[in-house]
Amino acid sequence: MNIGTKIIEIRKQKNMTQEDFAKIFHVTRQTVSNWENEKSYPDLQTLVQISNEFNVSLDTMLKEDMNMVKKIDNYKVYKKIFIGLITCILAAGVITGIYIGVCKVQHNRMYDKVENAGFKKEMTADFIEKYQGYYALTENDIDYLVEPKSIGKYELDTDKFTLTARKGDMDITISIDENRKIYLALYPGEIEIDEKGSVINTSKKLTDVQKEHMNDLLTDRKEEILPIISRALELWDSINK
């Protein structure tokens, strides 16, 4: 005997309508009808209430209705899966929130260091045209620039940090990367140099144009280059240390 049939039997024994039965368990008449026609099943709590109310063995009801037993078993499995899924989602949300919070703090600290070093960024047309969206500091006709990609919104992308010092249009351009390595632009290309303006890799093949440009900057204009390198390193250190 399935549970639907058992409910019908109980009602008839007690001379109860579906409406009467429904009121006892705080459900609608349609819900009772669905139980009796096996369109749905009472939940486990309601089954316990039916058992207590009419002195019917719950064990007997379940054993006689294997479909209901399977439904309850499936419910338990799905409930565990659902709880596990919700737990994972909540944990991921918490971790993501913490990550974004930490990155935001890092971003603010980096931005503060850039600003404290004297750099600024204005959204005026003249500023954007001159500095191409970089954070900029100009001293003695030298523009010192920090690329905005190094100050990400949700991550501190220090692997891409670059500080650039430039004078004029394709005249002197010095870049310091995230590892504090110094590069001198030769237009085209670049070479790595040290703090004293000496070439690091002397075996690098250069074109005649590049050699001429390098000799001009590192020999004839070395006294002009060295203060720029020194100031660029000072700014780099103030931001990254």
Side-chain angles (χ1 to χ4, degrees), residues 8 57 67 81 123 130 146-147 156 170-171 201 223:
I8 294 173
S57 169
N67 288 333
I81 294 174
M123 299 310 295
K130 183 177 181 179
V146 173
E147 295 188 41
L156 189 58
M170 297 179 64
D171 182 13
N201 184 5
E223 290 185 4

Side-chain angles (χ1 to χ4, degrees), residues 48-197:
V48 172
Q49 290 174 345
I50 292 172
S51 173
N52 293 336
E53 180 72 23
F54 300 109
N55 196 26
V56 179
S57 169
L58 180 61
D59 184 59
T60 300
M61 281 196 297
L62 292 177
K63 284 183 178 179
E64 290 180 352
D65 195 335
M66 293 307 298
N67 288 333
M68 183 62 190
V69 173
K70 290 179 180 178
K71 182 178 177 65
I72 292 173
D73 288 342
N74 289 337
Y75 170 77
K76 291 179 179 178
V77 172
Y78 292 142
K79 185 177 180 181
K80 288 181 179 179
I81 294 174
F82 178 76
I83 292 174
L85 183 62
I86 292 299
T87 301
C88 290
I89 292 173
L90 290 175
V94 170
I95 293 171
T96 301
I98 292 173
Y99 172 77
I100 291 176
V102 169
C103 290
K104 189 172 182 180
V105 169
Q106 289 180 324
H107 162 69
N108 291 337
R109 285 178 179 173
M110 173 63 97
Y111 184 83
D112 288 343
K113 286 183 177 181
V114 170
E115 204 170 47
N116 290 337
F119 289 82
K120 63 180 180 179
K121 183 178 181 182
E122 298 176 2
M123 299 310 295
T124 62
D126 290 342
F127 190 94
I128 293 173
E129 182 179 358
K130 183 177 181 179
Y131 300 114
Q132 295 86 49
Y134 290 10
Y135 294 86
L137 167 65
T138 299
E139 295 177 345
N140 301 320
D141 295 326
I142 309 297
D143 296 329
Y144 298 93
L145 310 172
V146 173
E147 295 188 41
K149 67 182 179 181
S150 66
I151 309 175
K153 185 174 182 181
Y154 294 125
E155 64 177 338
L156 189 58
D157 200 355
T158 53
D159 289 342
K160 296 179 181 178
F161 182 89
T162 303
L163 188 147
T164 301
R166 71 182 186 188
K167 180 180 181 181
D169 184 17
M170 297 179 64
D171 182 13
I172 298 174
T173 302
I174 296 169
S175 299
I176 306 176
D177 69 9
E178 71 275 6
N179 297 313
R180 209 173 180 268
K181 291 183 178 181
I182 308 166
Y183 296 90
L184 175 67
L186 297 179
Y187 299 111
E190 62 183 13
I191 54 168
E192 185 180 354
I193 60 175
D194 62 19
E195 297 180 24
K196 297 180 180 180

Side-chain angles (χ1 to χ4, degrees), residues 202-220:
T202 56
S203 64
K204 184 176 181 179
K205 293 182 179 180
L206 301 174
T207 66
D208 290 339
V209 173
Q210 289 174 321
K211 288 178 182 178
E212 182 180 352
H213 197 182
M214 180 182 70
N215 290 332
D216 174 55
L217 294 173
L218 297 182
T219 302
D220 300 338

Side-chain angles (χ1 to χ4, degrees), residues 15-76:
N15 293 319
M16 299 174 66
T17 64
Q18 289 181 339
E19 188 74 31
D20 296 331
F21 195 88
K23 287 180 180 179
I24 296 175
F25 303 104
H26 307 290
V27 297
T28 64
R29 184 203 62 78
Q30 185 60 49
T31 299
V32 175
S33 176
N34 289 338
W35 291 345
E36 294 180 352
N37 292 300
E38 297 186 64
K39 292 182 179 179
S40 64
Y41 292 96
D43 58 33
L44 193 56
Q45 182 178 355
T46 304
L47 284 173
V48 172
Q49 290 174 345
I50 292 172
S51 173
N52 293 336
E53 180 72 23
F54 300 109
N55 196 26
V56 179
S57 169
L58 180 61
D59 184 59
T60 300
M61 281 196 297
L62 292 177
K63 284 183 178 179
E64 290 180 352
D65 195 335
M66 293 307 298
N67 288 333
M68 183 62 190
V69 173
K70 290 179 180 178
K71 182 178 177 65
I72 292 173
D73 288 342
N74 289 337
Y75 170 77
K76 291 179 179 178

